[in-house]
Amino acid sequence: MATGGRTLWKGAITFGLVHIPVGLHTATTEEGVDFDWLDKRTMDPVGYKRVNKKTGKEIDKDDIVKGVEYDDGKYVVISPDEIEAVYPRTTQTIEIQRFVDANAIPFVYLERPYYVAPVNKGQKVFALLREVLLKTGKIGLAKVVIATKQHLAALVPSDKALVLNLLRWGDEVKSLEGLDLPPAGTKGAKISAAEMKMAEQLVKDMSGEWKPEDFKDEFKHEVMKLVDKKVKAGDTETVIQPEEEAPSEGAEIIDLTELLARSLKGRKSSKPASKKTRSKAASKNAAPARARKAA
């Protein structure tokens, strides 16, 4: 099984006044076969040209503008300055907006996971967040900006780590409308008791433990056998991958107990006072005024 590699991003988890310096690490790896385009005459990499689809001619990058199609064949052109003005502000924070039940988010919203690990002096407060999520059965819904793009994400405890799973936005998930689905429930779907019993027995017979190593990509396996054969024959080429920029450093944290207390106090003080409380406060403030007037 692949293990977490270098840090891709450094920042902090924030909720209330609590600030946890963390780093993001890839939680998955693409293990499929990646076929790159090469020029068979020179074995040079083959790139993509900017081509006018109507004329078929290559055009210069300075002649390209970005447009958004708002109707069939109709576009609004957006300038680079206008795009830059609305880019999400990079704050290097995973800002928790809300805590929800762990099973509240349907699988269809899950998009891409990252492992989250503490950096600097964030070990204790990181552990506190992880343990309180486990104990309460909650996960954190957060917003985060990665590479100029804002994401909704779920912060989920997993073993000793936290997993930041990027989510699809609500308008990116299609509704079930238009799908030819059977009615819900066994009665509505006209499933007999005997059919249900046999199906349950089949599921029971096929049930087992989750062991990811039991499942392999057969296509990749066969292609890699062919690759190994060519390697042994000396029929190889070298591909150089570009390096990525190093991430910036995260911030320090201050006393955890104080931050938790201040966060709770801030939430209580933000609630509107009751009529009874306001009445007492008004009477208390009026007493010194009456005393000054009498004097």
Side-chain angles (χ1 to χ4, degrees):
M1 181 182 293
T3 56
R6 62 186 179 82
T7 305
L8 299 177
W9 177 97
K10 280 187 178 180
I13 298 171
T14 64
F15 62 102
L17 297 177
V18 180
H19 182 97
I20 311 170
V22 296
L24 290 188
H25 305 261
T26 53
T28 60
T29 179
E30 295 293 334
E31 294 291 350
V33 181
D34 186 12
F35 294 101
D36 291 330
W37 288 4
L38 303 171
D39 188 327
K40 70 177 182 179
R41 300 165 297 179
T42 62
M43 296 310 297
D44 292 329
V46 176
Y48 297 94
K49 290 184 177 181
R50 300 180 180 93
V51 177
N52 184 314
K53 292 183 179 180
K54 185 175 181 180
T55 65
K57 296 180 179 179
E58 186 175 0
I59 62 175
D60 189 87
K61 66 177 181 179
D62 293 334
D63 292 325
I64 297 176
V65 295
K66 293 184 177 181
V68 177
E69 188 176 24
Y70 69 93
D71 202 353
D72 189 21
K74 296 181 179 180
Y75 286 80
V76 170
V77 175
I78 308 294
S79 71
D81 290 340
E82 289 173 319
I83 293 173
E84 184 178 355
V86 296
Y87 263 157
R89 185 168 58 95
T90 302
T91 60
Q92 294 299 106
T93 57
I94 300 168
E95 185 180 355
I96 297 178
Q97 309 278 306
R98 185 179 303 170
F99 292 100
V100 301
D101 290 339
N103 60 355
I105 301 176
F107 287 138
V108 70
Y109 283 89
L110 303 182
E111 187 171 19
R112 186 165 70 255
Y114 291 94
Y115 287 133
V116 183
V119 296
N120 300 337
K121 300 177 181 179
Q123 295 280 341
K124 182 178 178 180
V125 66
F126 180 92
L128 174 62
L129 176 58
R130 180 192 65 203
E131 296 304 315
V132 75
L133 290 177
L134 286 169
K135 185 173 182 179
T136 59
K138 301 287 186 181
I139 59 177
L141 275 182
K143 287 185 178 179
V144 59
V145 176
I146 300 176
T148 73
K149 185 177 180 182
Q150 188 179 57
H151 300 271
L152 183 65
L155 198 61
V156 184
S158 178
D159 198 4
K160 293 189 293 185
L162 290 172
V163 171
L164 184 77
N165 205 316
L166 302 186
L167 303 175
R168 296 177 177 88
W169 296 99
D171 58 2
E172 294 178 334
V173 176
K174 296 182 178 181
S175 72
L176 300 178
E177 187 177 352
L179 299 180
D180 185 16
L181 301 172
T186 57
K187 186 176 181 180
K190 298 180 179 179
I191 298 172
S192 69
E195 290 169 333
M196 191 66 179
K197 185 176 181 180
M198 286 188 291
E200 289 176 351
Q201 184 61 48
L202 179 58
V203 169
K204 183 178 179 180
D205 293 343
M206 295 179 64
S207 295
E209 295 181 4
W210 162 238
K211 294 181 180 179
E213 62 273 14
D214 289 347
F215 304 92
K216 307 293 183 184
D217 183 345
E218 286 85 3
F219 173 70
K220 174 201 166 186
H221 178 72
E222 293 302 319
V223 171
M224 293 312 297
K225 280 172 61 177
L226 180 59
V227 170
D228 290 341
K229 182 178 179 180
K230 287 181 174 287
V231 168
K232 291 176 182 178
D235 186 9
T236 63
E237 299 295 338
T238 301
V239 176
I240 300 175
Q241 298 293 340
E243 296 182 358
E244 295 183 16
E245 296 181 4
S248 60
E249 292 295 322
E252 293 290 331
I253 60 171
I254 60 177
D255 183 67
L256 171 61
T257 305
E258 178 187 353
L259 287 177
L260 289 170
R262 284 165 54 189
S263 297
L264 290 172
K265 185 178 179 181
R267 290 189 64 81
K268 290 179 180 178
S269 64
S270 65
K271 295 179 180 180
S274 64
K275 291 182 179 180
K276 187 175 181 180
T277 302
R278 290 197 298 268
S279 177
K280 286 185 177 180
S283 299
K284 187 176 180 180
N285 292 333
R290 287 196 298 269
R292 287 195 300 271
K293 187 175 181 180

